[in-house]
Amino acid sequence: MNNKHPFHIVDLSPWPLMNSLNLFNTVFLYLKFFKTPNDINMCMFMLTILIFTSFLWWRDICREGCYQGHHTFKVYLGMKISMIMFISSEIMFFFSFFWAYFHFSLSPEFEISNTWPPTGISVVNPYQIPMLNSIILISSGASVTWCHFSILHKKYYSSIFSLALTIFMGALFSGIQMMEYKMKDFVLNDNVYGSVFYKLTGFHGAHVTIGTIFLIINQIRLMNSQINNKHHFSLEAAAWYWHFVDVVWIYLYIFLYWWYSI
C-alpha cells in the first residue's frame, strides 16, 4: 500500500532495543572496571557486541536511504534537525565540564594551596605537543570541508582522497594525545586539576575517536557509490560533528594549555 505522506514509517527492528541494552551494560561494566581493573575481558566483549549491533542498525538505515528511497526531503529535514539537537546536547555536555574548570580555577580552594594549577602540577608547554595537535585537528577540519565541496561538484576521487586525509589526521591526533598522556607527571586522581583536565581532554578524545569512526563509515559508503552530490547527508552530519570537535579543542587549547602557561 502506497503512503499518502512523505514520511518514512520505520519497519519493526530489534536493533534499537538491543543497542540500548548493550550500551547500558557497556557503561555499567566500564564503571565496574574502575574498581576492579583486572576484569577487562567482559568489558571488551560487551563493547564488541555493541559495535556489532550498531553496525547492523546502521546497515539497515543505509539500505532504507540508498536502495529503498525512504529518505525523502521531509525525512532529510527531520534528520538534519535531529543532528543539530544532538550537537547542541554535546555542547551542553562540555559546557558543564568547562563550568567546573572555571569554578575551581578562578577561585582556587585552600586545600590546593590557593593556586591554579595546584602546587606540584607542572603545566604542559602549549607550544609543543598541544600546538602540534591543534594544527593537525584544525587542518582536518579544512580537509573534511574540501571533501564536502568535492562531492557537491562531483569530484569523487578528490573527495575520497580528502576524506582519507581527514581520517588519517584524526587517528594521528588520537595517537599523539595518548603519547602526551604517557608523558604527564600527574594522573586523574591528582586533586581537582587532574580530574578536570583528564575529563575534558579524555571526553574530547573519545569524541574524536567516535568522529573518526563516523568518517570511516562514510569513506566506505563513498567508495561503494552510496554517497553522491544529491544524497550525502551522512557525510554532511559527520562534517558537522567534526567541526564541533574542532571548536571544542580550540577552547581546550586556549584555557587548559595556553591560558595558565603565560
Side-chain angles (χ1 to χ4, degrees):
M1 188 170 99
N2 294 328
N3 293 326
K4 298 185 182 300
H5 55 76
F7 301 101
H8 174 213
I9 306 302
V10 183
D11 296 330
L12 293 176
S13 173
W15 311 127
L17 178 61
M18 290 182 65
N19 227 35
S20 60
L21 292 174
N22 289 332
L23 184 61
F24 172 80
N25 290 333
T26 302
V27 173
F28 178 79
L29 287 171
Y30 272 94
L31 288 174
K32 185 173 178 292
F33 171 73
F34 284 113
K35 252 192 132 173
T36 55
N38 295 326
D39 192 16
I40 189 64
N41 293 331
M42 195 61 189
C43 295
M44 297 307 297
F45 173 75
M46 211 64 237
L47 182 61
T48 304
I49 297 297
L50 176 64
I51 293 171
F52 180 68
T53 54
S54 298
F55 169 78
L56 293 174
W57 192 4
W58 297 334
R59 179 207 60 182
D60 289 350
I61 295 172
C62 293
R63 183 184 297 158
E64 291 167 359
C66 293
Y67 304 118
Q68 297 176 336
H70 291 315
H71 290 179
T72 61
F73 176 76
K74 288 288 186 181
V75 175
Y76 166 77
L77 185 62
M79 292 190 296
K80 195 173 183 178
I81 294 172
S82 299
M83 192 65 195
I84 292 171
M85 293 178 67
F86 170 68
I87 293 177
S88 300
S89 70
E90 293 288 276
I91 292 172
M92 294 297 103
F93 176 79
F94 278 99
F95 179 80
S96 64
F97 287 109
F98 275 109
W99 184 292
Y101 178 78
F102 288 122
H103 173 79
F104 291 113
S105 64
L106 296 176
S107 181
E109 299 290 341
F110 172 78
E111 288 80 0
I112 56 173
S113 65
N114 295 114
T115 59
W116 191 269
T119 304
I121 299 291
S122 59
V123 180
V124 179
N125 188 337
Y127 302 109
Q128 294 178 354
I129 291 180
M131 176 65 79
L132 174 62
N133 256 353
S134 299
I135 293 171
I136 291 171
L137 203 57
I138 293 171
S139 300
S140 71
S143 62
V144 79
T145 304
W146 175 21
C147 176
H148 188 208
F149 176 85
S150 300
I151 288 174
L152 292 177
H153 292 79
K154 301 181 181 180
K155 299 178 180 178
Y156 294 115
Y157 290 108
S158 176
S159 63
I160 289 172
F161 172 77
S162 55
L163 189 55
L165 183 62
T166 307
I167 292 168
F168 169 74
M169 286 191 282
L172 182 62
F173 175 91
S174 299
I176 294 175
Q177 188 79 51
M178 290 179 64
M179 184 179 69
E180 181 191 345
Y181 279 172
K182 291 181 179 179
M183 295 170 61
K184 288 281 192 296
D185 59 355
F186 59 92
V187 293
L188 181 66
N189 59 354
D190 276 342
N191 61 55
V192 70
Y193 181 86
S195 177
V196 174
F197 178 89
Y198 279 106
K199 283 180 180 177
L200 271 169
T201 57
F203 275 118
H204 177 265
H207 282 70
V208 171
T209 303
I210 293 169
T212 305
I213 295 170
F214 201 175
L215 293 173
I216 290 171
I217 292 169
N218 279 280
Q219 180 78 318
I220 295 170
R221 296 191 66 201
L222 185 59
M223 295 175 70
N224 289 328
S225 301
Q226 294 182 3
I227 294 177
N228 53 49
N229 63 320
K230 299 294 184 183
H231 184 85
H232 57 270
F233 174 73
S234 64
L235 178 69
E236 199 173 12
W240 292 354
Y241 189 83
W242 199 253
H243 290 311
F244 157 73
V245 168
D246 283 348
V247 172
V248 171
W249 175 257
I250 292 172
Y251 281 100
L252 283 174
Y253 176 77
I254 292 173
F255 295 114
L256 260 70
Y257 292 100
W258 179 76
W259 189 14
Y260 285 102
S261 70
I262 52 177

